[in-house]
Amino acid sequence: MPQPVWKIDTTKLAQMWKERGLSPEDVADRMGGVCPLIHYYEAGVHSPSVSDLGDLAWALGYAPDDLIASPRGEVSLVDLRYAADLTAASVAARLRRDPTGHGQLIDHRKIRDLEEGRKVAGKMLRRPKASGLLTGALARTYGVLPRVLMDA
């Protein structure tokens, strides 16, 4: 199973629930999860999935970005694709099936161009709102927060 490309700031995590007067058990209850998993996050043994990161942040009353320890820009788009265990062709296929990518001529070459920082042509990419939706679809495809994708 691919590993998340971010780590939780374990010191900040413990500080956050202490500031809120919560125990790991309280956080687990708020998340609807089990306490050992919270202890694994606290110890840095496991990193939560995107949805679990959102649940954890909500349980603590913080934004998901507040929990991430990785410096911004440290991860590349290729790293995100590899961490999701995807090929450029499979990413392109998923984006074409996504409602935001419908009708776009997205192929593995465009994904590779994007990863290598080259300009990617496309009618949808000229409109900021539409390209933002495609960015969200790519973040979902990689299983990361949009912030992580944008930093890459």
Side-chain angles (χ1 to χ4, degrees):
M1 179 173 180
Q3 295 296 312
V5 291
W6 64 77
K7 297 283 184 196
I8 291 292
D9 186 331
T10 56
T11 306
K12 199 185 279 186
L13 178 62
Q15 177 186 358
M16 286 175 175
W17 64 51
K18 287 177 186 167
E19 284 176 3
R20 301 283 195 236
L22 301 169
S23 68
E25 293 78 14
D26 296 331
V27 175
D29 285 343
R30 287 180 173 201
M31 288 180 63
V34 292
C35 193
L37 190 57
I38 302 302
H39 287 293
Y40 291 148
Y41 296 159
E42 181 184 24
V45 175
H46 293 293
S47 291
S49 66
V50 173
S51 62
D52 287 347
L53 181 65
D55 292 345
L56 179 61
W58 176 85
L60 293 167
Y62 287 90
D65 285 352
D66 295 335
L67 297 169
I68 297 175
S70 311
R72 295 187 125 178
E74 189 174 274
V75 176
S76 72
L77 290 174
V78 175
D79 294 332
L80 296 178
R81 182 167 53 83
Y82 286 165
D85 200 24
L86 298 169
T87 64
S90 63
V91 170
R94 287 182 184 201
L95 288 176
R96 285 191 306 268
R97 285 191 305 266
D98 189 279
T100 58
H102 182 72
Q104 296 299 306
L105 301 174
I106 301 169
D107 62 11
H108 70 280
R109 289 183 294 278
K110 286 188 177 182
I111 299 300
R112 294 238 171 91
D113 285 346
L114 184 64
E115 291 173 347
E116 294 173 14
R118 291 190 292 265
K119 189 172 183 167
V120 179
K123 65 180 180 180
M124 186 173 184
L125 299 176
R126 287 185 224 124
R127 297 188 321 256
K129 182 178 178 185
S131 62
L133 293 173
L134 201 54
T135 299
L138 189 56
R140 287 189 303 278
T141 298
Y142 290 152
V144 298
L145 297 168
R147 173 262 205 201
V148 174
L149 182 81
M150 294 305 295
D151 287 347

